[in-house]
Amino acid sequence: MKLFYVRHGKTQGNLDKTYVGHTESPLLGEGIEAVKKVGQQISAAGQHIDVIFTSHLKRQLDSAKLIAQEISYPFKDIVINDLLRERYGGSFEGKTQAEFFVLTEEQQVAAGAESLKELSERATVLLELVRKNYSDKTVLFVGSATIGEMLRAMVKYNDYTKVFDDGPMPNAELIQLI
């Protein structure tokens, strides 16, 4: 099994430096172009993708469709699973990233944010589902930053406390997890 991850293209929320989590934030023109280039990179490398996973979040789904278009993957075969949604920010949704990330995780959770432990549980369920159903396939996840960082931590370390150890998940970059 091969697992790849692509964070959605750059969004208005990224530009404004707001924490969007479950809030919708449209892709910018440069984000659309960058995601298309990822699809072209996959094609140029001759990398076959058997299944694409994403969530209902428009920035993720739009990015998955753009990649699918570039690699001739049928839109109807994209698996939409909200286990791949971004970490929920509670009352900090739509506020600045600086306001959110200056807080301890305990303070974030007190404001209604999803805990990192809860996020790791979602990531683990998703990874188990993929291992069970696609063990001989090449899978591409198209998601957002923190869920991608958590998937990477769970694959690499099997430890949710290492979620930020490998640095931020860049927009529109193909990353091999396994």
Side-chain angles (χ1 to χ4, degrees):
M1 174 172 65
K2 284 186 183 179
L3 292 180
F4 290 96
Y5 193 87
V6 175
R7 180 181 175 197
H8 59 75
K10 190 171 183 179
T11 66
Q12 189 63 48
N14 297 142
L15 183 65
D16 297 341
K17 297 186 180 190
T18 56
Y19 190 90
V20 291
H22 290 187
T23 304
E24 294 293 0
S25 183
L27 293 175
L28 298 172
E30 67 185 276
I32 291 169
E33 291 308 312
V35 170
K36 284 181 180 179
K37 285 181 183 173
V38 170
Q40 293 163 5
Q41 174 189 8
I42 292 168
S43 287
Q47 179 62 61
H48 176 76
I49 301 295
D50 293 300
V51 62
I52 297 174
F53 273 82
T54 194
S55 82
H56 281 99
L57 286 174
K58 188 166 173 34
R59 64 188 178 271
Q60 293 179 352
L61 183 57
D62 287 351
S63 294
K65 287 180 176 178
L66 289 163
I67 292 169
Q69 182 176 345
E70 294 296 326
I71 65 171
S72 301
Y73 183 92
F75 290 173
K76 67 177 181 53
D77 293 343
I78 295 172
V79 178
I80 298 173
N81 188 315
D82 283 337
L83 291 170
L84 198 53
R85 274 191 316 180
E86 179 59 312
R87 180 181 180 209
Y88 182 60
S91 63
F92 283 88
E93 294 270 326
K95 294 185 179 174
T96 68
Q97 291 174 5
E99 289 174 283
F100 183 74
F101 289 115
V102 72
L103 301 175
T104 65
E105 183 190 357
E106 183 177 277
Q107 291 169 318
Q108 293 169 350
V109 171
E114 182 176 17
S115 74
L116 293 175
K117 176 79 170 138
E118 291 168 328
L119 185 66
S120 75
E121 290 166 358
R122 276 201 289 127
T124 299
V125 169
L126 181 60
L127 289 167
E128 288 172 1
L129 177 130
V130 168
R131 286 181 179 125
K132 179 181 176 187
N133 296 302
Y134 304 97
S135 63
D136 60 341
K137 305 290 183 196
T138 299
V139 177
L140 173 64
F141 295 121
V142 181
S144 294
T146 312
I147 185 64
E149 292 158 358
M150 185 60 76
L151 285 165
R152 181 176 59 193
M154 298 310 290
V155 165
K156 189 172 181 180
Y157 306 109
N158 196 32
D159 181 351
Y160 78 92
T161 66
K162 296 187 178 287
V163 63
F164 302 119
D165 283 13
D166 291 325
M169 188 71 67
N171 289 94
E173 186 175 303
L174 183 67
I175 296 171
Q176 186 166 356
L177 300 176
I178 296 177

